[in-house]
Amino acid sequence: MTSLISLDAELPKEETIPTIDFGLLVNGTPDQRSAMVRLLATACEDWGFFMLVNHGIQDKLRDEMLEAFKALFDLTDDEKGSYIGAHVLDPIRIGSGFNLKTDTGKYSRHYAKIFVHPEFHSVPKPLNFRNISKEYSDYTRAIGLELLKAVWEGLGIEENRVADALKLRSCFQILVGNLYPPYPKPDFELGFAPHSDHGLFTLLYQNGINGLQIMHKERWIYVKPVPNSIMVNTGDHLEIVSNGKYKSVLHRAVLNSEMVRMSIVTVIGPSLDVIVEPIADLVNTDCPAVFRGLTYRDYLEHQQSNSLVEKGALNLVRLHTDH
């Protein structure tokens, strides 16, 4: 059996992943905010990934959210009911792998995906799940939207025009819980295959067990989070809106031989029925559009209904230009 992980050269020594201080971004002096906006622009362009510190989400709430997802995964299949194997656009879906109908490999991952905005949904059990997930979702949505304001500022785009074009006041938000069981030979199976995310930003918090790797300069980098940080990565729709200036990051989950790894993921995207295309300010004769417009709903359904092949979903909207 061939190792999936050791196919790469030895992992490089720890590199410095950008760290954004959210407190300075939203409450700092004008100079401090400007510095964070510039650092965020660099992170989006060079890494597609960064750590977010001083974000204001209390450890207690994050731990309660992890425990609520753990209790959800511990329910019987009868209790999970019709949520198992639901359609990709159903507001609550529970399953394993990526999509059992299309998975071409085996992935040791259990998930629960719940739409929480613009309409809030929740599972009936565990009983405390609704209140905890509502509070957690409200916090992460506010953070995501503030980060996007800084992104538009860094791109030199007027914030309200972008917010109106993407209908961010009714943005789509999905809350995902992932559980990766221990695997005796973690080098021979992935928790989750290399992929990029739909949406604009993904915010991720984990239970202290590392397993996330990102592709940087054609090498896989182990992510070792700064204490109390949230990990944030760029999504396909930020790549589309920025006309390719910011690239969605390729990432994967590797397994642990002894410990269960859990993560809470929040995806922030445009309104589902918005046609997402490059912002007009970033398109000109020297920099033509590299993506065509498509509704976020259609893109999401396409990506979630087909086999996961790295950033292959972007080919649905990619224009063939010399740019």
Side-chain angles (χ1 to χ4, degrees):
M1 184 181 290
T2 303
S3 170
L4 293 171
I5 309 302
S6 60
L7 287 175
D8 300 310
E10 292 225 2
L11 290 170
K13 292 182 179 179
E14 189 173 353
E15 297 193 27
T16 302
I17 295 174
T19 298
I20 305 296
D21 188 317
F22 190 71
L24 295 182
L25 185 67
V26 298
N27 295 317
T29 65
D31 286 346
Q32 288 172 328
R33 176 177 173 81
S34 294
M36 286 299 106
V37 168
R38 291 193 298 271
L39 182 57
L40 178 60
T42 299
C44 289
E45 186 166 3
D46 294 347
W47 284 82
F49 188 88
F50 56 91
M51 313 282 193
L52 190 70
V53 298
N54 295 329
H55 44 72
I57 302 180
Q58 298 299 313
D59 291 350
K60 180 175 181 291
L61 177 59
R62 290 183 290 173
D63 291 342
E64 287 175 343
M65 192 72 263
L66 279 169
E67 286 301 314
F69 267 117
K70 183 177 183 301
L72 173 57
F73 288 126
D74 286 342
L75 296 177
T76 66
D77 285 354
D78 285 343
E79 289 174 305
K80 295 172 185 173
S82 61
Y83 302 136
I84 297 177
H87 186 269
V88 296
L89 290 180
D90 284 344
I92 301 176
R93 181 160 60 107
I94 298 174
S96 298
F98 174 66
N99 184 327
L100 291 179
K101 296 178 181 178
T102 61
D103 282 349
T104 56
K106 183 181 178 184
Y107 310 125
S108 292
R109 171 206 184 213
H110 305 298
Y111 66 80
K113 301 183 178 186
I114 304 170
F115 295 2
V116 292
H117 196 265
E119 183 177 352
F120 179 78
H121 298 269
S122 178
V123 291
K125 292 181 180 181
L127 295 178
N128 62 349
F129 194 95
R130 172 176 289 273
N131 290 339
I132 294 171
S133 62
K134 180 67 167 65
E135 184 178 2
Y136 187 84
S137 299
D138 288 348
Y139 268 111
T140 50
R141 182 170 64 257
I143 290 169
L145 293 176
E146 283 293 339
L147 288 173
L148 287 171
K149 289 179 184 178
V151 166
W152 313 140
E153 184 177 336
L155 288 170
I157 303 171
E158 204 277 314
E159 172 199 326
N160 288 332
R161 286 204 304 111
V162 187
D164 290 343
L166 299 178
K167 296 184 179 179
L168 291 181
R169 292 169 187 83
S170 58
C171 69
F172 176 72
Q173 181 184 7
I174 184 169
L175 177 66
V176 183
N178 294 309
L179 186 149
Y180 301 94
Y183 190 74
K185 295 182 179 180
D187 285 355
F188 295 95
E189 185 169 317
L190 287 170
F192 204 10
H195 66 285
S196 60
D197 294 337
H198 61 83
L200 297 163
F201 271 137
T202 298
L203 286 71
L204 183 146
Y205 175 69
Q206 62 186 17
N207 65 338
I209 306 302
N210 294 333
L212 178 66
Q213 293 183 339
I214 60 171
M215 178 66 76
H216 180 62
K217 296 180 180 178
E218 300 184 353
R219 299 176 302 181
W220 285 110
I221 306 291
Y222 265 107
V223 177
K224 299 178 181 179
V226 174
N228 301 316
S229 66
I230 291 176
M231 295 174 276
V232 184
N233 66 262
T234 53
D236 289 349
H237 289 84
L238 190 57
E239 181 166 344
I240 294 168
V241 168
S242 69
N243 200 31
K245 181 176 178 64
Y246 297 159
K247 302 291 194 295
S248 57
V249 68
L250 196 64
H251 54 289
R252 67 184 184 182
V254 298
L255 299 171
N256 186 288
S257 62
E258 299 177 354
M259 306 289 287
V260 171
R261 177 175 179 260
M262 288 188 65
S263 64
I264 314 167
V265 172
T266 301
V267 177
I268 305 290
S271 176
L272 280 177
D273 293 317
V274 162
I275 295 175
V276 185
E277 58 191 350
I279 293 295
D281 303 56
L282 303 178
V283 177
N284 53 54
T285 54
D286 294 326
C287 188
V290 293
F291 299 104
R292 68 180 180 91
L294 185 72
T295 67
Y296 184 22
R297 182 187 303 275
D298 288 345
Y299 187 98
L300 175 63
E301 183 171 16
H302 170 82
Q303 189 213 42
Q304 297 288 302
S305 300
N306 290 278
S307 297
L308 198 62
V309 184
E310 298 191 344
K311 294 179 61 169
L314 273 173
N315 293 331
L316 181 67
V317 295
R318 193 184 305 278
L319 297 172
H320 298 286
T321 70
D322 294 330
H323 174 63

